[in-house]
Amino acid sequence: KIDRSFIDRILTSRKKRGLINSIIDMAHNLDMSVIAEGVETEKQADYLTSQHCDILQGYYFSKPVDERTLFEMIEKQK
């Protein structure tokens, strides 16, 4: 799991991008999935997707919700 503190400056810090890319590559080489937390913008989501990050989570997709609300959201999408 990539902490949101790394995601915050992903678009402005070459070092952060390099570190994130290394984490994703290392995890995939170990047959592990990678979750990025704290994704707040479309540009962050696009970048992480382009680097083959497996799962993205954060306010860009939804504010935190309880279990009941989550299931209600899933039902509405069906």
Side-chain angles (χ1 to χ4, degrees), residues 6-24:
F6 294 102
I7 305 303
D8 283 343
R9 290 183 226 109
I10 194 172
L11 302 174
T12 59
S13 172
R14 183 176 171 186
K15 289 181 181 181
K16 295 279 185 185
R17 285 192 304 275
L19 182 57
I20 287 170
N21 295 347
S22 295
I23 291 168
I24 293 170

Side-chain angles (χ1 to χ4, degrees), residues 15-76:
K15 289 181 181 181
K16 295 279 185 185
R17 285 192 304 275
L19 182 57
I20 287 170
N21 295 347
S22 295
I23 291 168
I24 293 170
D25 289 342
M26 182 176 59
H28 287 165
N29 286 331
L30 296 169
D31 293 322
M32 298 171 73
S33 296
V34 182
I35 301 170
E37 67 175 18
V39 178
E40 296 182 355
T41 68
E42 182 177 8
K43 288 183 180 184
Q44 289 172 336
D46 289 345
Y47 179 79
L48 290 162
T49 300
S50 76
Q51 298 305 308
H52 309 288
C53 187
D54 301 297
I55 300 170
L56 309 177
Q57 65 182 46
Y59 277 97
Y60 176 67
F61 303 101
S62 173
K63 65 178 183 167
V65 296
D66 59 44
E67 182 179 6
R68 179 177 172 210
T69 304
L70 173 63
F71 286 114
E72 289 172 358
M73 291 169 65
I74 292 170
E75 285 298 316
K76 287 180 183 178

